[in-house]
């Protein structure tokens, strides 16, 4: 460990300054502004604003529509995180069995998966295209008239499938490298100790993968909550009326379509609290989590 | 407890190169066999084939009379101790030992009894609730041993289990492993590249080179009658002096560049002019007495004083065509100076003779021939 000592100089702070500036301009300022405006009723035509205390929060939380969206968001998040993780884990375990020892293949595969997400995203959306999407055609074969962007449940289905599809790649990479970092001899010892491969996976491999898995759970929840904005926008085709949306998308809808800046700010503050809690849970857990080495 | 029969076993990883090439060994019940050889000679590969961690390309391995080629490691009734111990990092010491037993569906009470007994034997009782990362290297090693013992397997397999320990601990554990193995009487195969470990632990030593078993025999046998120049150079420290020589015209002596350097007993089977390699252990060279004929004269180039012994490094036949390096192990009281000439006498009986072309030992009569042929000793069991 090399520790550079700067004495009492201001140099370390100087180094930090650009980073701090970015954080301040792009996070603290807008966040502060959101908190402030969540206490005000903004005039839709921009003629000043009135302080209303917690009224915005009260309105939001007592709104049936908001609760409906919150429940959908919860389901959406749970399903997306679960399937994205489960499918990626299965794929990673299969890939790991093939790749054991073959470092070249591993790197190549990582490359493919690192480049793939944007392409995969486009593909995912095309799969559900009303006119050329193979999934739509497949559904039609079974007599299911899949109408994404029109039918509430069909849209929800397409959103979940595409969101899962998009996230699998990232999860796969993390799971695979987690699997590959389990020492070969530990797995071999387990092969001597336990005949059933299935049992071996749940008693040795998976426990050793939990640090990775937990990290990914948090990443996936955050992803499903926040990073699916663009996807939802595309799928609902700007007609959110009868379509499912998540809380983040509703912030946008209410603020910029409904011109209810106060209510929308209150919603974003609520979401900030959710993120805050998630972060705390993560740190707590990681602190307590055993780090195997 | 079981006999292990390795029958014409080969391993090909890819292409045509054989990591293990046609090895046959019969290991009697309760015997401690050490596989020794330089890095990459195929020791681990052979051991892992016995364990079932590596597929057997050719040949068969049987444990207790049952061919195990197609069996999973867990079905072979073996236990293995790995070089880096391979403990389960997420399990406590207790569970590390109990894991294998639980998977076999053993009753809880019996598991507990076995684990506690092994912990007592290995002085691990106070560590049972710890996790591997909270243990020292030596303690981890003990846990790995414990995990092997609780299973009471038919065969113990060790792959360089001590090489991550410091010298002192290694010495202690060596003695302990031998004691444990005697006590439980379990057939054991132990891989090492450390010849001290090999010599002290083995009932039977298998010296491997390039995937081939160069020699199989008791440690003393291998030391006294190395079957090839490779074994001669590998077993013993400092290594045996190997000198290229020719058989003299009357077959009574080995000559280097025309000068006689050693008398020979093998005249009956050697033709004059035969190209040989002469092997003389450093400890079989001694300073010639005042009225004794010195066979060779060593020009001392370096001296290592070890206390009990002094090692004299130097050259013989300096300046001539038969110039060759040599080490002599002399009593610690010997006074020497660099650059001086040291007259040395050799015991005839201590000279090893190898065919220079094949590297194989040349034996003087039939009786000793059977003793040094690989497999002969064990195949008879
Ligand atoms: N999985 C593998 N794939 C291809 N070749 C291998 C593999 N494992 C070992 N080898 C090769 O087989 C030969 C024997 O290897 P092995 O591990 O048995 O040597 P070793 O005697 O145990 O050496 P060391 O003392 O260094 O452990 C080596 O040449 C090695 O490169
Ligand atoms: Mg090895």
């Amino acid at each position: 460990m090399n520790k550079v000592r700067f004495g009492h100089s201001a140099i370390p702070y100087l180094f930090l300054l650009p980073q701090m500036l970015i954080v301040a301009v792009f996070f603290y300022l807008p966040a502060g502004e959101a908190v402030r405006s969540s206490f005000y009723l903004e005039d839709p035509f921009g003629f000043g604003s009135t302080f209303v205390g917690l009224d915005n929060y009260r309105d939001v939380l007592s709104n049936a529509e908001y609760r409906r969206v919150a429940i959908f968001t919860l389901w959406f998040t749970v399903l997306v995180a679960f399937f994205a993780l489960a499918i990626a884990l299965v794929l990673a375990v299969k890939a790991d069995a093939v790749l054991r020892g073959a470092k070249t293949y591993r790197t190549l595969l990582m490359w493919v998966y690192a480049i793939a997400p944007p392409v995969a995203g486009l593909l995912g959306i095309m799969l559900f295209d009303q006119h050329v999407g193979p999934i739509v055609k497949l559904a039609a074969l079974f007599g299911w008239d899949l109408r994404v962007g029109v039918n509430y449940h069909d849209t929800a289905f397409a959103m979940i499938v595409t969101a899962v599809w998009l996230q699998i790649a990232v999860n796969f990479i993390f799971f695979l490298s987690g699997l590959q970092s389990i020492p070969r001899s530990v797995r071999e010892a387990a092969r001597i100790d336990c005949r059933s491969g299935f049992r071996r996976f749940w008693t040795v491999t998976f426990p050793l993968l939990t640090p990775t898995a937990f990290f990914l759970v948090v990443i996936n929840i955050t992803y499903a909550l926040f990073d699916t904005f663009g996807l939802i926008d595309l799928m609902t085709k700007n007609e959110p009326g009868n379509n499912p949306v998540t809380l983040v998308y509703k912030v946008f809808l209410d603020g910029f379509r409904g011109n209810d800046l106060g209510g929308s700010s209150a919603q974003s503050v609520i979401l900030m609290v959710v993120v805050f809690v998630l972060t705390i849970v993560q740190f707590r857990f990681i602190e307590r989590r055993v780090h195997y080495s | 407890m079981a006999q292990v029969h390795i029958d014409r076993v080969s391993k090909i990883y890819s292409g045509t190169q054989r990591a293990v090439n046609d090895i046959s060994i019969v290991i009697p019940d309760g015997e401690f066999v050490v596989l020794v050889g330089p890095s990459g000679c195929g020791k681990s590969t052979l051991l892992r084939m016995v364990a079932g961690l590596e597929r057997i390309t050719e040949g068969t391995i049987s444990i207790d009379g049952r061919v195990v080629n197609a069996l999973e490691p867990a079905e072979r009734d073996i236990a293995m101790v790995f070089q880096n111990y391979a403990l389960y990092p997420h399990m406590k010491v207790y569970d590390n030992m109990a894991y294998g037993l639980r998977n076999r569906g053993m009753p809880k009470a019996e598991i507990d009894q076995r684990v506690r007994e092994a912990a007592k034997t290995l002085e691990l009782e106070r560590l049972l609730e710890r996790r591997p990362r909270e243990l020292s290297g030596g303690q981890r090693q003990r846990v790995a041993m414990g995990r092997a013992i609780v299973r009471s397997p038919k065969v113990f397999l060790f792959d360089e289990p001590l090489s991550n320990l410091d010298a002192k601990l290694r010495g202690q554990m060596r003695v302990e492993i031998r004691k444990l193995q005697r006590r439980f009487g379990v057939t054991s195969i132990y891989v090492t590249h450390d010849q001290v470990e090999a010599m002290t632990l083995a009932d039977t030593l298998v010296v491997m080179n390039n995937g081939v078993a160069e020699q199989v025999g008791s440690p003393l046998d291998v030391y006294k009658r190395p079957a090839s120049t490779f074994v001669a150079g590998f077993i013993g420290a400092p290594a045996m002096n190997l000198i290229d020589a020719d058989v003299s015209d009357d077959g009574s002596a080995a000559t280097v560049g025309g000068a006689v350097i050693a008398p020979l007993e093998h005249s009956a089977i050697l033709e004059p002019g035969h190209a040989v390699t002469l092997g003389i252990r450093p400890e079989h060279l001694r300073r010639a007495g005042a009225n004794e004929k010195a066979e060779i004269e060593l020009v001392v180039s370096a001296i290592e004083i070890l206390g009990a012994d002094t090692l004299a490094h130097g050259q013989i036949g300096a300046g001539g065509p038969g110039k060759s390096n040599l080490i002599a192990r002399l009593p610690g009281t010997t006074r020497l100076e660099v650059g001086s000439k040291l007259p040395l006498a050799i015991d005839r009986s201590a000279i090893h003779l190898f065919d220079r072309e094949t590297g194989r030992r040349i034996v003087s009569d039939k009786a000793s021939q059977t003793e040094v042929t690989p497999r002969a000793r064990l195949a008879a069991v």
Side-chain angles (χ1 to χ4, degrees), chain B residues 43-44 159-160 191:
Chain B
K43 311 178 291 283
S44 298
D159 194 351
E160 312 208 15
V191 164

Side-chain angles (χ1 to χ4, degrees), chain A residues 221-251:
Chain A
I221 291 176
T222 320
Y223 161 79
L225 278 178
F226 300 100
D227 292 352
T228 46
F229 183 91
L231 175 73
I232 295 167
D233 195 46
L234 262 167
M235 291 256 168
T236 56
K237 299 179 177 138
N238 266 332
E239 283 180 23
N242 190 34
N243 281 318
V245 293
T246 60
L247 287 175
V248 170
Y249 199 73
K250 190 167 160 54
V251 170

Side-chain angles (χ1 to χ4, degrees), chain B residues 97-170:
Chain B
M97 294 203 264
Y99 179 65
L101 304 180
R102 283 188 194 130
N103 292 326
R104 291 201 217 161
M106 187 180 281
K108 248 193 162 135
E110 194 183 343
I111 294 178
D112 191 63
Q113 191 208 331
R114 284 202 190 192
V115 171
R116 301 216 175 266
E117 212 166 280
K120 198 170 161 200
T121 314
L122 291 161
E123 292 165 30
L124 290 170
E125 287 153 304
R126 282 157 10 104
L127 306 175
L128 287 175
E129 292 305 307
R130 297 226 194 140
R131 280 180 212 280
R133 75 196 143 87
E134 299 160 343
L135 301 176
S136 72
Q139 290 166 336
R140 282 179 212 188
Q141 218 286 327
R142 282 167 186 280
V143 177
M145 285 292 298
R147 188 168 66 180
I149 288 173
V150 288
R151 309 184 48 146
S152 38
K154 285 189 177 142
V155 187
F156 277 148
L157 304 172
F158 302 89
D159 194 351
E160 312 208 15
L162 305 183
S163 53
N164 285 357
L165 301 178
D166 67 56
K168 188 168 166 234
L169 207 53
R170 204 180 312 154

Side-chain angles (χ1 to χ4, degrees), chain A residues 185 188 192-193 199 203 290, chain B residues 48 88 99 103 133 151:
Chain A
S185 58
E188 290 178 341
I192 292 173
D193 270 343
R199 202 180 146 79
T203 49
V290 244
Chain B
R48 292 163 55 79
Y88 307 121
Y99 179 65
N103 292 326
R133 75 196 143 87
R151 309 184 48 146

Side-chain angles (χ1 to χ4, degrees), chain A residues 153-215:
Chain A
H153 287 106
D154 289 357
T155 313
F157 173 74
M159 265 163 55
I160 290 170
V161 170
T162 314
V164 167
W165 166 267
L166 278 170
Q167 185 62 11
I168 284 177
V170 174
N171 292 350
F172 173 84
I173 293 176
F174 277 99
F175 272 135
L176 185 60
S177 65
L179 282 168
Q180 303 252 339
S181 68
I182 297 174
R184 184 169 91 147
S185 58
V186 170
R187 290 159 167 252
E188 290 178 341
R191 271 182 75 193
I192 292 173
D193 270 343
C194 180
R195 191 177 141 39
S196 148
F198 182 78
R199 202 180 146 79
R200 224 156 46 218
F201 178 80
W202 289 112
T203 49
V204 175
T205 312
F206 190 74
L208 292 178
L209 214 53
T210 43
T212 310
F214 181 75
F215 164 76

